[in-house]
């Protein structure tokens, strides 16, 4: 009886770990979104990707450059065909049939991402003889939408919004936090990448 209880607890822990993607990756994808993506065979049995990627970034050059480098690193390591496209062309570019679809790469992921980097600032107010000051730390994050297309039919299969934002520590480098945010986003899309 005790062995059954241990097996049940252990099985529950394994399931919880699997649902978290991988240890150390904060979960930004809801259970419903996760199930929606898992219903598509985006990865082979050996965990290799079965999709190509279009990426569009709306924002400052530095933030978009950081975003592009993170996605390019992921694409390079995982053998994903990736290209940058303009935001206005993202859907039009991805929503198309492939005249020669292959069973090895039947999907195209299209991601539109808007980085959020709000610098820290100090606010000082003077009322009569009273000085008041307040420090607001930097905030970093993004808003993104993930589209999944079937390359055989050109049909859009998924449209999933993402949003994550966090406050950086006192006098912290917001860019380091932003890189971590993008890495978490990629890790939630592809837990196998973070596990390597």
């Amino acid at each position: 009886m005790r062995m059954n209880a241990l097996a049940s607890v252990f099985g529950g822990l394994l399931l919880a770990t699997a649902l978290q993607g991988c240890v150390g990756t904060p979960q930004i994808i809801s259970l419903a979104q996760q199930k929606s993506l898992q219903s598509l065979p985006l990865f082979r049995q050996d965990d290799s990707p079965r999709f190509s990627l279009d990426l569009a970034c709306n924002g400052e050059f530095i933030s978009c450059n950081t975003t592009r480098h993170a996605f390019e690193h992921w694409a390079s390591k995982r053998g994903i065909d990736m290209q940058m496209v303009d935001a206005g062309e993202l859907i039009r570019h991805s929503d198309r049939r492939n005249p020669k679809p292959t069973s090895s790469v039947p999907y195209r992921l299209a991601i539109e991402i808007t980085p959020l980097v709000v610098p820290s600032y100090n606010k000082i107010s003077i009322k009569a003889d009273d000085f008041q000051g307040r420090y607001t730390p930097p905030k970093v994050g993004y808003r993104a939408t993930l589209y999944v297309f079937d390359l055989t039919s050109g049909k859009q299969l998924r449209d999933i919004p993402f949003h994550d934002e966090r406050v950086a520590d006192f006098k912290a480098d917001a860019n380091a936090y932003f890189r971590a945010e993008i890495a978490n986003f990629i890790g939630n899309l592809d837990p196998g990448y973070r596990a390597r």
Side-chain angles (χ1 to χ4, degrees), residues 61-139:
F61 174 77
I62 293 173
S63 299
C64 282
N65 206 31
T66 300
T67 302
R68 179 178 57 82
H69 283 303
F71 276 92
E72 284 176 343
H73 186 265
W74 172 49
S76 173
K77 291 291 184 184
R78 296 290 269 148
I80 300 167
D81 176 30
M82 177 192 148
Q83 56 188 337
M84 294 293 299
V85 297
D86 291 333
E89 296 293 315
L90 184 71
I91 300 301
R92 203 171 321 141
H93 186 262
S94 294
D95 188 11
R96 65 193 190 286
R97 288 186 70 219
N98 187 339
K100 295 182 180 176
T102 65
S103 59
S104 62
V105 184
Y107 302 104
R108 178 170 291 279
L109 270 55
I111 298 173
E112 182 172 9
I113 189 165
T114 303
L116 168 70
V117 179
V118 179
S120 63
Y121 62 91
N122 292 306
K123 182 177 181 181
I124 299 173
S125 60
I126 304 171
K127 294 181 181 177
D129 291 333
D130 184 26
F131 290 92
Q132 294 181 350
R134 186 179 64 156
Y135 168 78
T136 301
K139 289 182 184 177

Side-chain angles (χ1 to χ4, degrees), residues 164-185:
D164 199 27
E165 180 181 321
R166 67 178 172 159
V167 175
D169 290 336
F170 178 69
K171 293 189 177 179
D173 176 9
N175 198 39
Y177 276 82
F178 182 66
R179 283 194 300 270
E181 287 289 293
I182 297 301
N184 290 338
F185 177 65

